[in-house]
Amino acid sequence: MIPVFKPHMNKKKILPELEKILDSGWIGLGPKTKEFEDKFAAYLKAPHAVAVNSCTSALHLAVLAAGLKEGDEVLVPTMTFVSTALVLLYEKIIPVFVDSDPKTLCMDPEDARRKLTPKTRAMIPVHFGGHAADLTSLQALAREHQLILIEDCAHATGGTYHGQKLGTFGDFSCFSFHAVKNLPTADGGMVLAKTAKADAQLRKLRWLGIDKDTWARNDNKYAWRYSIEELGYKYHMNDITAVIGLAQLETLDEDNQRRAKLAARYQRELTGLSSIECPVEIPPAVSAWHNYVIKVENETQRNDLGSYLGNEGISTGVHYEPIHRHKVFQGRARMENLPVAEHQWTRLLTLPLFPTLSDQEHDQVISGIKTFLRKTTTLAV
Ligand SMILES: Cc1ncc(COP(=O)(O)O)c(C=O)c1O
């Protein structure tokens, strides 16, 4: 079966580094985590980066460090993974779901503007599929209404906007190193802040609120002494994950180039086939191509194509069923007027895209789609 996603692990580099770290006697939060933070920040040209155990944790900490409180409203896209909005519920903050741009499937800035109220304090745009949200409009909206901008970069490690790395635009930004993301470590995340003060707060919050982490204490004469002044969480990264992250960072650009090449080939082969709409890459965005989501005619065709490809040994997915539809948000979020997302998601199908997808497997997917269309439509091909 050809999967939809598959992590590419830089085993040559990872295995010897893992051996070293396992022998070192220090596998928790330590110097390798710091090295990964520094190298990741340098890669993005960002001032601060704090390593955590997932993007969900990163989002939760960003919300806390941003000072958002119970009853505040936060604009979030509905076309995303649940974490983007779920972390708001942890703090009894109200997610206000925003509709999608029909082309990029990112948050629609005009709909965001329509949904502002005096209680709106922040927005969390997602760079859907690795393609930048409309940052020019969203930054303008944030400036105009003093909103905190938190970028959800779970899909977007390595993507750019106006030549600048995604994750360097917001007051905070959050990355995922989950198994199928562009820089996979199995699980992991990074939260970026603009100021040293926010960076220090994030470091404390990721480690139960303790004022010194174990690594810092290891260096200290009074290693046993620490204080806890505010409620924190056990969200830190460990050095085993960090050595994997460091190795994966070395192949990130190469992996993203392979993703882009495969995406361009899909584009060439599928553009013009009746009823298929390919994902777009609109300048000044350069996508990180986390996924490849096509739009077909309607829900029936989407489901039939998915089943047909499944029978041919090709996995597909749907990213996403709009998350406001999940029961957990009922009574806890605002979710009015989301016509684009409600319509578009029924047409979405995610095709296999990952760095180690071979040309032959890629051909198999493309010819599977063409054969399906030939069999089921008269206009196609
Ligand atoms: C847009 C988005 N945000 C957040 C997350 C959460 O990431 P993690 O699994 O690292 O917590 C994901 C994961 O799929 C995601 O796709």
Side-chain angles (χ1 to χ4, degrees):
M1 201 77 182
I2 300 173
V4 191
F5 300 118
K6 189 175 171 190
H8 176 219
M9 305 306 289
N10 183 3
K11 260 170 53 183
K12 245 197 200 138
K13 186 73 196 269
I14 291 170
L15 292 177
E17 289 300 321
L18 270 182
E19 185 132 26
K20 278 192 237 161
I21 197 80
L22 295 178
D23 288 342
S24 75
W26 194 287
I27 58 172
L29 171 62
K32 285 291 171 187
T33 304
K34 181 76 179 77
E35 187 183 336
F36 184 36
E37 289 170 343
D38 291 346
K39 292 206 167 136
F40 193 75
Y43 172 78
L44 295 178
K45 296 194 173 67
H48 305 280
V50 178
V52 288
N53 58 6
S54 72
C55 184
T56 308
S57 306
L59 287 160
H60 187 196
L61 295 190
V63 161
L64 293 170
L68 301 174
K69 297 269 182 319
E70 178 170 353
D72 288 343
E73 292 184 0
V74 176
L75 301 163
V76 287
T78 185
M79 189 60 80
T80 182
F81 184 65
V82 285
S83 300
T84 315
L86 212 56
V87 298
L88 299 171
L89 300 190
Y90 297 168
E91 301 301 323
K92 297 193 168 58
I93 295 163
I94 303 163
V96 176
F97 288 109
V98 177
D99 210 355
S100 315
D101 175 317
K103 290 205 282 293
T104 62
L105 301 174
C106 293
M107 184 192 259
D108 172 4
E110 282 314 305
D111 194 48
R113 184 180 287 279
R114 279 193 290 273
K115 287 175 176 165
L116 288 171
T117 76
K119 290 204 264 176
T120 314
R121 294 276 324 279
M123 62 170 92
I124 315 181
V126 172
H127 304 305
F128 182 94
H131 189 288
D134 179 353
L135 284 164
T136 306
S137 305
L138 292 173
Q139 280 185 308
L141 190 64
R143 264 195 306 275
E144 220 177 292
H145 296 273
Q146 286 89 49
L147 305 179
I148 294 156
L149 177 62
I150 301 173
E151 292 177 73
D152 181 337
C153 299
H155 298 180
T157 311
T160 62
Y161 187 73
H162 280 299
Q164 184 181 329
K165 286 274 178 342
L166 297 176
T168 58
F169 292 84
D171 300 289
F172 296 91
S173 57
C174 303
F175 288 84
S176 174
F177 308 133
H178 168 258
V180 304
K181 298 301 192 299
N182 296 49
L183 192 161
T185 62
D187 265 313
M190 197 73 83
V191 50
L192 273 62
K194 281 278 194 281
T195 65
K197 191 169 164 228
D199 176 83
Q201 202 195 353
L202 289 166
R203 284 178 195 284
K204 225 188 316 175
L205 289 172
R206 75 161 170 191
W207 181 242
L208 303 138
I210 296 173
D211 63 348
K212 290 178 251 175
D213 62 41
T214 38
W215 178 244
R217 278 198 277 135
N218 195 42
D219 235 11
N220 190 306
K221 242 164 93 183
Y222 296 102
W224 46 268
R225 179 176 280 163
Y226 56 83
S227 64
I228 305 172
E229 277 143 36
E230 60 182 311
L231 184 64
Y233 299 83
K234 199 161 184 295
Y235 281 173
H236 65 282
M237 184 176 278
N238 62 54
D239 274 14
I240 293 181
T241 305
V243 296
I244 299 173
L246 281 162
Q248 296 291 81
L249 187 57
E250 287 185 13
T251 54
L252 174 66
D253 284 343
E254 207 179 294
D255 286 347
N256 280 352
Q257 277 158 22
R258 174 68 184 159
R259 287 173 182 277
K261 207 169 155 201
L262 290 165
R265 192 147 171 260
Y266 268 141
Q267 215 92 350
R268 277 198 305 279
E269 294 288 337
L270 302 181
T271 300
L273 297 185
S274 89
S275 76
I276 304 265
E277 240 180 82
C278 291
V280 293
E281 187 176 40
I282 304 173
V286 173
S287 181
W289 290 111
H290 163 59
N291 60 22
Y292 196 86
V293 177
I294 60 168
K295 301 183 186 98
V296 299
E297 187 97 29
N298 54 38
E299 188 164 10
T300 308
Q301 192 186 41
R302 187 268 304 276
N303 296 343
D304 290 350
L305 176 56
S307 304
Y308 177 82
L309 292 175
N311 289 332
E312 296 294 306
I314 299 160
S315 306
T316 54
V318 173
H319 297 88
Y320 295 94
E321 174 167 358
I323 62 167
H324 70 273
R325 295 162 62 93
H326 291 290
K327 202 169 160 196
V328 70
F329 293 111
Q330 275 172 26
R332 294 180 166 127
R334 279 181 43 210
M335 53 183 78
E336 63 270 9
N337 284 332
L338 299 159
V340 176
E342 282 286 6
H343 172 63
Q344 294 292 351
W345 90 268
T346 61
R347 306 173 55 209
L348 303 181
L349 193 71
T350 309
L351 302 181
L353 183 74
F354 48 88
T356 55
L357 184 72
S358 69
D359 288 349
Q360 191 203 342
E361 289 169 323
H362 202 223
D363 285 342
Q364 225 175 300
V365 182
I366 292 163
S367 70
I369 295 170
K370 289 182 176 172
T371 309
F372 169 84
L373 290 176
R374 216 176 289 122
K375 282 184 174 166
T376 55
T377 65
T378 45
L379 298 168
V381 205

